[in-house]
Amino acid sequence: MPRKTWRAALAAYATPASLALLLLGFAAGLPYMLVFSTLSVWLREAGVARETIGFASLIGLAYAFKWVWSPLLDQWRLPLLGKLGRRRSWLVLAQLLVAIGLAGMALCDPQQNLSWLIALAVLVAFASATQDIAVDAYRLEIAEDSRQAALAASYMAGYRVAALLATAGALYFAEWFGSTKELYKHSAWAGTYLLFALLMLPGLLTSLWMSEPAVPLRTQLSAARYGFTHQMVSVLVLIVLLVSVPAMFTQLYRTDFESVLFHGGSFLDLLLHDRAFLRALLYIILTSLCLSSMGRRGLAPVLTPINDFILRYRWQALLLLGLIATYRLSDTVLGVMANVFYIDQGFTKEQIASVSKLFGLIMTLLGAGLGGLLIVRFGIFPILLIGGAASAATNLLFLLLADMGPHLQMLVLTISCDNFSAGLATAAFVAYLSSLTNLKFSATQYALLSSIMLLLPRLIGGYSGVMVEKFGYSDFFLITALLGVPTLILIAWQWRREGPQENGSTPTSSSEQPTANQP
């Protein structure tokens, strides 16, 4: 099949679907930053202890484990709101809960009602994560694979603008309303959060205005195989399993087996006197119940989408998961130490903020926009390969900067190239993940794959400080660049295996891919 023209590629942005994803991206970016980044400033200004603020950041686990309850969005239609459709009803519910939660946070002074403030922040985080699941599922179902990058670029543009407004903008509004570091004023922060609760309105109106994706009815019926009670049991069993397994190993590690093996003790002594051993036994029992035949039946709503993915790709599923887990590895691991590196180089906070917010934002949006355009024109795999190579190669610019001191022009060039490549890579990767999902389980599979995408980079990123201390910045940047090589090999293997496809894109992941129904 011939490639599409540049005019046809640009037309991918001139659609109602792109506008809808722009506004939905804006609605997604606001609560995320308000709950994490901006909330920590509010709490600190109100005199809350750093330890408490640190514990409050655990609210972010809602985003890391959103795949746990994502089957609900695939397999259960909401009462009353369900008349809007499977996707729009969940979007409207999530956005209403975000707006209500932000308004409730505005009414809570952390100096007097900190517990209520944190509880409402948890509500906002879970509603926001649910909104993300619904938006991703909606995007997957309204367009073919080659247009996913353009929709993702539109979403990213709205998200980045909202993120800037909810961080720097929120701090500006709070200070303008009268709250400063020296003189805390709750009414200023209340006005700020009420303002941002109102800014959820464009996203809510978009969800009411756009049309429900034209997914075939039998696709929806085959996905909705389980009742609400069964799905809730599945979520509870999965949560118990996720808690029990790591807790079991932790308690076994703390158990005093040395006294039994080397000092003549007995397991009866462990049962009577070692609380860690008793807790380990409890978690072993819970894990066994979850993995029993009864527990597996309870997990069916979660396991069915996973089984579908494995059955479709068989042994290749492992290589695909390897590609997914490593694609953002090089830039994510470096990103953990980026701001620390800038400070150590001698740049001022004003310089870092100005360059990263101005050039970083512009170049990310340009990279994402170009990525969406190029994928429509040339297909997914070429741009996926270029994005992966660029993300790794730009780490070498940090290596050069490490030997130049606080060189502002080089900082601008480094941040610009790094953010441009990140935008390009993200657009390509979203399109690729979209091509792997089955429309019967679009919410569940995309949520799970996107979680896998972040798991390994976050784990290795946790040791980035140790790597810098041991090797120094120059070798650290070289190592992060080399982390991108395995990904490029996996992309090349997958591209060769797929062979030439229409417009160079991967084949659709479902035999019932819908037409590009516009909102």
Side-chain angles (χ1 to χ4, degrees):
M1 298 290 291
R3 290 173 176 168
K4 292 185 178 180
T5 63
W6 286 106
R7 184 174 182 179
L10 283 169
Y13 288 103
T15 62
S18 294
L19 176 60
L21 265 295
L22 178 72
L23 294 171
L24 290 175
F26 184 84
L30 286 179
Y32 183 88
M33 292 300 174
L34 289 172
V35 166
F36 302 116
S37 178
T38 305
L39 178 61
S40 62
V41 179
W42 179 8
L43 295 178
R44 189 57 187 156
E45 200 168 274
V48 177
R50 293 186 184 90
E51 293 82 359
T52 304
I53 296 173
F55 287 128
S57 68
L58 294 175
I59 297 170
L61 291 174
Y63 289 87
F65 290 98
K66 62 185 181 181
W67 56 274
V68 173
W69 68 91
S70 60
L72 290 174
L73 279 70
D74 271 334
Q75 301 173 6
W76 187 56
R77 185 184 292 270
L78 289 168
L80 300 179
L81 287 176
K83 296 178 181 179
L84 295 172
R86 188 168 54 142
R87 299 306 178 204
R88 292 197 302 154
S89 61
W90 281 102
L91 275 172
V92 169
L93 175 64
Q95 290 162 350
L96 285 173
L97 289 176
V98 167
I100 292 171
L102 291 176
M105 290 175 67
L107 301 177
C108 295
D109 187 344
Q111 292 183 338
Q112 300 175 5
N113 307 107
L114 180 60
S115 298
W116 276 105
L117 179 64
I118 297 299
L120 288 166
V122 170
L123 170 66
V124 172
F126 274 95
S128 176
T130 302
Q131 178 184 217
D132 289 351
I133 299 170
V135 171
D136 287 331
Y138 174 78
R139 173 179 52 77
L140 290 169
E141 294 172 355
I142 63 172
E144 66 275 5
D145 294 340
S146 62
R147 289 185 54 223
Q148 288 297 328
L151 295 181
S154 298
Y155 175 86
M156 192 184 302
Y159 191 99
R160 291 281 181 165
V161 171
L164 182 62
L165 186 61
T167 50
L171 299 183
Y172 168 78
F173 282 123
E175 188 156 343
W176 187 50
F177 290 151
S179 183
T180 64
K181 184 178 180 180
E182 293 76 22
L183 181 62
Y184 168 70
K185 191 175 181 181
H186 169 247
S187 60
W189 285 101
T192 300
Y193 270 68
L194 284 173
L195 175 62
F196 281 98
L198 289 175
L199 287 177
M200 288 298 297
L201 187 60
L204 179 60
L205 292 177
T206 300
S207 298
L208 294 171
W209 159 71
M210 65 193 191
S211 60
E212 183 71 8
V215 178
L217 179 61
R218 63 192 182 96
T219 298
Q220 298 188 39
L221 293 176
S222 63
R225 295 167 54 189
Y226 305 99
F228 176 72
T229 302
H230 194 175
Q231 293 171 46
M232 290 305 299
V233 169
S234 175
V235 171
L236 291 174
V237 171
L238 187 57
I239 291 174
V240 171
L241 189 62
L242 290 172
V243 172
S244 297
V245 172
M248 174 183 66
F249 286 109
T250 300
Q251 297 305 320
L252 286 174
Y253 176 77
R254 293 177 177 176
T255 299
D256 185 19
F257 288 113
E258 184 179 354
S259 63
V260 176
L261 297 174
F262 303 109
H263 301 293
S266 66
F267 282 99
L268 181 61
D269 294 329
L270 291 180
L271 285 171
L272 295 176
H273 305 295
D274 196 323
R275 292 185 178 180
F277 185 65
L278 292 175
R279 286 193 290 264
L281 288 178
L282 173 62
Y283 290 125
I284 289 172
I285 293 172
L286 289 175
T287 301
S288 300
L289 288 174
C290 291
L291 296 178
S292 66
S293 58
M294 181 179 65
R296 290 197 300 272
R297 285 196 299 271
L299 286 171
V302 175
L303 295 179
T304 299
I306 298 174
N307 290 338
D308 170 80
F309 183 84
I310 294 173
L311 290 174
R312 279 190 293 123
Y313 294 104
R314 300 185 183 277
W315 64 270
Q316 298 168 8
L318 290 176
L319 295 175
L320 290 174
L321 293 177
L323 194 163
I324 293 168
T326 60
Y327 189 75
R328 301 305 306 276
L329 187 59
S330 59
D331 56 336
T332 302
V333 173
L334 183 146
V336 177
M337 283 288 109
N339 285 332
V340 178
F341 168 67
Y342 301 147
I343 295 293
D344 290 345
Q345 281 293 97
F347 293 106
T348 66
K349 291 190 290 293
E350 291 76 12
Q351 288 174 325
I352 297 169
S354 298
V355 174
S356 62
K357 282 184 169 57
L358 178 60
F359 290 95
L361 175 63
I362 293 173
M363 297 307 291
T364 298
L365 298 182
L366 286 176
L370 182 62
L373 179 67
L374 292 175
I375 286 175
V376 175
R377 179 73 170 84
F378 298 107
I380 294 176
F381 277 114
I383 314 307
L384 190 69
L385 184 64
I386 292 172
S391 293
T394 51
N395 289 10
L396 299 177
L397 292 175
F398 286 88
L399 191 154
L400 296 177
L401 180 60
D403 297 326
M404 299 175 66
H407 194 289
L408 187 59
Q409 289 76 18
M410 187 61 185
L411 177 67
V412 172
L413 176 64
T414 301
I415 287 181
S416 298
C417 292
D418 183 60
N419 282 267
F420 181 85
S421 65
L424 182 71
T426 300
F429 199 54
V430 166
Y432 182 63
L433 288 186
S434 303
S435 73
L436 298 177
T437 58
N438 187 334
L439 292 183
K440 294 178 182 178
F441 313 105
S442 52
T444 305
Q445 289 187 354
Y446 191 88
L448 183 58
L449 292 176
S450 59
S451 297
I452 292 172
M453 172 189 70
L454 295 174
L455 181 60
L456 185 61
R458 292 283 172 85
L459 288 175
I460 297 180
Y463 293 93
S464 57
V466 176
M467 296 167 67
V468 170
E469 290 293 331
K470 184 174 182 179
F471 301 109
Y473 278 116
S474 295
D475 288 345
F476 170 71
F477 295 139
L478 180 60
I479 291 171
T480 58
L482 294 175
L483 288 175
V485 174
T487 304
L488 300 180
I489 296 173
L490 289 171
I491 294 172
W493 164 80
Q494 181 68 2
W495 189 1
R496 182 179 179 183
R497 189 188 68 83
E498 292 290 346
Q501 303 290 339
E502 181 180 357
N503 297 324
S505 66
T506 57
T508 183
S509 56
S510 173
S511 59
E512 297 175 296
Q513 180 78 15
T515 57
N517 181 47
Q518 306 300 337

